[in-house]
C-alpha cells in the first residue's frame, strides 16, 4: 500500500535524490500518507494526486510546485 511505498522511500531517500528534493518530499509525505496511506498504490488516480498537490502547494513557490 501507499504507506509501505513511503516507508521504502524514506529508507533510501539519501541514495536517490538531492538534499533539497528529499527535504521537499519529506514535507509532503506525511500529508500524502494521511490522505492516501491506507490505499493500494494502483488505486490512486491522477486526478486525486493532482488535487492533493494543488491543495498542498497553493500559495507556495514555483519550485515547490515543480516537485
Amino acid at each position: 500500500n501507499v504507506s509501505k511505498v513511503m516507508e521504502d522511500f524514506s529508507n533510501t531517500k539519501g541514495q536517490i535524490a538531492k538534499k533539497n528534493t528529499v527535504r521537499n518530499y519529506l514535507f509532503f509525505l506525511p500529508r500524502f500518507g494521511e490522505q492516501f496511506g491506507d490505499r493500494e498504490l494502483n488505486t490512486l488516480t491522477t486526478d486525486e494526486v493532482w488535487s492533493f498537490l494543488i491543495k498542498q502547494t497553493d500559495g507556495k513557490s514555483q519550485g515547490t510546485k515543480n516537485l
Side-chain angles (χ1 to χ4, degrees):
N1 65 15
V2 170
S3 292
K4 175 68 173 135
V5 172
M6 290 171 49
E7 181 181 331
D8 291 347
F9 172 78
S10 292
N11 292 334
T12 60
K13 63 187 176 281
Q15 302 165 19
I16 60 174
K18 293 182 180 180
K19 184 179 178 180
N20 284 341
T21 301
V22 170
R23 184 183 49 144
N24 286 334
Y25 285 175
L26 291 177
F27 174 80
F28 285 104
L29 281 177
R31 292 164 178 80
F32 193 81
E34 288 174 14
Q35 187 162 343
F36 301 113
D38 61 339
R39 301 264 306 269
E40 292 300 320
L41 196 57
N42 64 351
T43 68
L44 297 180
T45 66
T46 304
D47 287 341
E48 287 176 304
V49 175
W50 275 117
S51 177
F52 169 81
L53 288 173
I54 289 167
K55 288 177 187 173
Q56 296 299 314
T57 60
D58 188 35
K60 303 285 190 285
S61 72
Q62 187 60 41
T64 302
K65 293 179 182 184
N66 287 338
L67 280 173

